[in-house]
Amino acid sequence: MPSRQRPTWSEQLRTRHGGPVCEITLDMEAECPHREGLACGDCLLCDSHGGDTGAFLEGRNLKGQILSGLDVARRRFHTDRVILYLQNHSTTCVAFDAFKNRIDEALVIAEEAGAIVVGLSVGTRPDLVVEDVLNHLVALGGSGLEVWLELDIQTLDDAGLRYLRRDHDSRCSLDACAKARRRGIALCAHLISGIPGERKDQLARSAERLSQEGVRGYKFHPLHVLADTELETLFRRGEFNPPSLEHYVESVALALEVLNPEAEIRRLTADVRPPRLIAPQWITAKPRVLQALTDRLSRPVPALVRRAAKGESQALSEVALHSFFDSIAPLYEAEGRESFSHFAAPSRIAQRFDGGSLFLVALRKGQIRAMAELRPPAHLAMLFVDGDERGQGTGRALIEAIKDEILSSSKTAGHLTVNASPNAVSFYRRQGFLGNDEQTIDGIRFFPMTLEFR
Ligand code: SF4
């Protein structure tokens, strides 16, 4: 249902495999070293199921799990096509031979039961991604299966990872992605929204950064309290407030907006119920959550604003030049157009990164749609919003982000200058800038303007 012009994962699978595909979640009886007292102890949110079905705890062996999953696939989805999802604890936390044998066993059981196994998905922690496992996944992919590695990344905010007591950092997650990507293994990231202290757009930031690392699939869920977890203790003491439905929907909408349209969104919320679920209770009303997300996506969603990297100089230049020639160049003589073309060339932008300029970008659908340059200490050297991104509040969002950067570096009242092009003066006035005197240098017409802010 929810996303804007984005096919659901079911639709994407149906297109790839010529019919409906059902995911069967399997508890492979793996363990997790993090549950056995690593430096920080267990993850804050982990219960005895270790994030899975708990099938083995309930006495259901592999064969029983596959047969009941296949029964559901046939009755509810009228299909024999399945993806086997190996999920419990950290699936790769077994000796390699045992890992390989359990997969072989699962494939044989499924095929003997008449399933058409089209894919295999292996879930684990980023710090348990080892060479043997990756090489075996490559071999399985070579046999025609659609093979995924699902990483419990949760967030790329290191403070958030510490709060969750994950005992690994964001670098570890990015390294695991790089190892899998180099082998051509499809990656799916599990991400959490609602970690105390996180930014409103942290889910989108994590997803966007991971997309640069080649992550193709995403499973989103809110941080929730399960029974018999450390998080339940904090919740009972009033030291943890679960995210509201509104916070969650906004964070997922931002993430969906920033990802490119080919990203595969495999989960939009958590699927857990009482008595295992303690809070928040809104999770149990899944149709309401999905409807709230659909409603949110029917209204404008802000672009994600973040710092740009020097490696993005080419893309920054393209946005600046495209926007300039689209809207400003007709106001300038040839000399001014040429001056600006030099100023906005990729090599000149890269030089200004080295010279201390800070560049910000606004992203939507996997593309840079707007950019700004802050030249130290406080001069807005460029601000361009491309094409249909105009009129969506993106220019204002970039200025707000620039103001935050100035305040966080100086910790005092702010002062920002800009040389506004003639057709941008009214925009800057609306943001509070003052200044009226037109000047021309090297054929470039501009109005020096100043903003004082706190
Ligand atoms: S990594 Fe997963 S299974 Fe291990 S302690 Fe954390 S949540 Fe539990």
Side-chain angles (χ1 to χ4, degrees), residues 147-149 151 153 156 173-189 206-218 259-260 262-264:
V147 175
W148 290 81
L149 182 64
L151 294 176
I153 288 172
L156 289 182
S173 300
L174 295 171
D175 288 347
C177 291
K179 279 196 242 171
R181 191 191 62 216
R182 280 197 293 274
R183 291 170 168 82
I185 298 168
L187 279 161
C188 176
S206 298
E208 194 269 333
R209 178 71 182 86
L210 289 166
S211 71
Q212 293 176 35
E213 294 299 320
V215 172
R216 206 172 96 203
Y218 298 84
L259 288 171
N260 73 48
E262 285 74 43
E264 302 189 21

Side-chain angles (χ1 to χ4, degrees), residues 31-36 41-47 49-51 87-90 124-128 152 154 164-166 168:
E31 281 299 331
C32 173
H34 198 43
R35 293 171 59 87
E36 292 161 6
D42 292 349
C43 294
L44 205 59
L45 45 78
C46 189
D47 70 354
H49 289 205
Q87 188 202 18
N88 73 309
H89 294 119
S90 296
T124 194
R125 287 171 57 94
D127 55 1
L128 288 176
D152 285 332
Q154 318 299 27
L164 296 175
R165 301 186 197 163
R166 292 290 295 175
H168 67 76

Side-chain angles (χ1 to χ4, degrees), residues 30-72:
E31 281 299 331
C32 173
H34 198 43
R35 293 171 59 87
E36 292 161 6
L38 287 185
C40 299
D42 292 349
C43 294
L44 205 59
L45 45 78
C46 189
D47 70 354
S48 59
H49 289 205
D52 78 331
T53 62
F56 257 96
L57 286 175
E58 293 162 8
R60 286 187 289 134
N61 64 16
L62 203 51
K63 184 170 184 179
Q65 296 173 55
I66 291 171
L67 293 182
S68 66
L70 189 55
D71 183 49
V72 171

Side-chain angles (χ1 to χ4, degrees), residues 134-152:
L134 291 175
N135 292 338
H136 190 54
L137 295 184
V138 171
L140 288 165
S143 70
L145 288 175
E146 175 176 318
V147 175
W148 290 81
L149 182 64
E150 296 200 26
L151 294 176
D152 285 332

